[in-house]
Structures are given as C-alpha cells and as structure tokens.
Amino acid sequence: MRVLVVYCHPMPESFCAAIRDNAIEVLKARGWEVRLLDLYAENFDPVMGCGERRSYNEHAPQDPALKPHIDHLNWAQAILFIYPTWWYGLPAMLKGWLDRVWATDVAFKLPAGKGRIQSLMRHVTKIGVITTCGAPTWWSVVVGQPGRKTILRGMRALCATRCRTFFLAHYLMDASTPKTRAAFLAKVRKRLERF
C-alpha cells in the first residue's frame, strides 16, 4: 500500500511532529511505501492567485510548483493528514493545499452541463486524520468539527466508493501532560496498525 502523509505544522518540535514520526514508523513497519509531504518545511504557497482562480474550472493548475504535489496524489492509495486544529478547522496552509492541489482535472472533472462531478481520485481507498485540538471534545462537536468534515466528507467524496476513514484527535491539547500525550501516541500506533 502506498500512503501519502500530508503533514502541516510550523514548529519542528511540536507534538504533531511526534505524531508524524510515530505514524511513519508504524506504516513502514507494516511494509507500506510512505511519502511525506511536509507543507511548512517545503514552504508551500497556499495562496491561489487571480489567474489561477480564473482558469480553475477550465483545466488542471499550470503552476510548475504544484506538479510534484499532483504526482503525489496520483501515486497515493491512502492519505494520512496530520495537523493541528486551529479555530476548529484546518490550518490555512493545509486548506490552501487542498484549494490548489485537489483541483479540476486532478481530483475531479467538471461536467459539461448540469451533470455530476466525476471523481479522479478513485485510486485512494483510505483516508485518515490525526489532529490536536485545544478545545474539549464536547465543544468541538457543538461547533461542528469543520476540519473533520472538510476531509472526511468533502475530500472523501472524491475517493473510492468504499473509501475507509478514521479520525483521531488529542483534545484539550493546551492542557496536555506527558501522560496524556504518551497515551495518545499509543492510540495512534494501535489505530495505524489497523489502517
């Protein structure tokens, strides 16, 4: 299985980095082929410019900087997103990556008339999300978990019909302790052994 790990956090010493390292270790131990896409480390530009937006519905992105990202998407059979939840959603860098890379003639094809969007991501059969969140679980649910819905509903809809998903979050991250973080890493490892 080929898995693309999409990682988004600006601080190299973050707990998300520990999650990333543990996740990659487990996946490789299972014999999976892993590619890491570290958006901050590569200084990905999340801003869609005027010209790119004007041609968005007409053809795939033309920016040569996006080609490696598109190649990663075409290669992947599974995608694992690792990021912090900020203001109940995705970091701007990750949202910009989705906006610019999961594009027309890459992730989907637009109909000529009133038909349905045609998926171009049917080769992706698994999507996982591992995130940290400062808010408690109950409040995240009340707010509606927009980050979770963006990926596990919106992006998943473009993948294989029976695409399997999972979502793990370390809530109350701002009040976390070494014990809660260790317990969460153990949970991550156990979940990825079944991914």
Side-chain angles (χ1 to χ4, degrees), residues 34-175:
V34 178
R35 286 187 186 176
L36 171 63
L37 187 54
D38 185 334
L39 298 178
Y40 276 96
E42 75 165 63
N43 200 26
F44 179 78
D45 182 0
V47 178
M48 181 184 292
C50 178
E52 188 176 341
R53 181 61 194 113
R54 286 187 199 279
S55 64
Y56 186 85
N57 291 349
E58 298 167 12
H59 54 72
Q62 303 297 303
D63 184 342
L66 299 180
K67 186 178 183 329
H69 296 265
I70 293 167
D71 291 344
H72 288 318
L73 273 188
N74 289 330
W75 169 87
Q77 295 172 305
I79 303 174
L80 178 61
F81 293 92
I82 301 172
Y83 62 89
T85 294
W86 291 338
W87 284 107
Y88 315 107
L90 308 172
M93 177 81 73
L94 181 54
K95 178 60 171 67
W97 184 78
L98 295 174
D99 290 343
R100 297 190 70 208
V101 178
W102 286 63
T104 305
D105 295 336
V106 175
F108 59 88
K109 190 172 273 306
L110 291 172
K114 291 186 174 182
R116 295 182 63 177
I117 289 176
Q118 176 189 347
S119 169
L120 299 177
M121 300 293 293
R122 297 285 180 206
H123 55 282
V124 175
T125 60
K126 297 173 189 266
I127 294 180
V129 171
I130 306 174
T131 188
T132 57
C133 185
T137 308
W138 70 270
W139 183 248
S140 297
V141 171
V142 167
V143 170
Q145 297 181 306
R148 178 180 185 161
K149 289 177 181 174
T150 295
I151 294 176
L152 297 188
R153 289 188 186 177
M155 310 324 283
R156 185 222 174 269
L158 295 173
C159 297
T161 304
R162 298 187 188 277
C163 180
R164 297 181 61 182
T165 65
F166 80 86
F167 181 88
L168 286 178
H170 185 305
Y171 293 101
L172 294 172
M173 186 63 206
D174 300 332

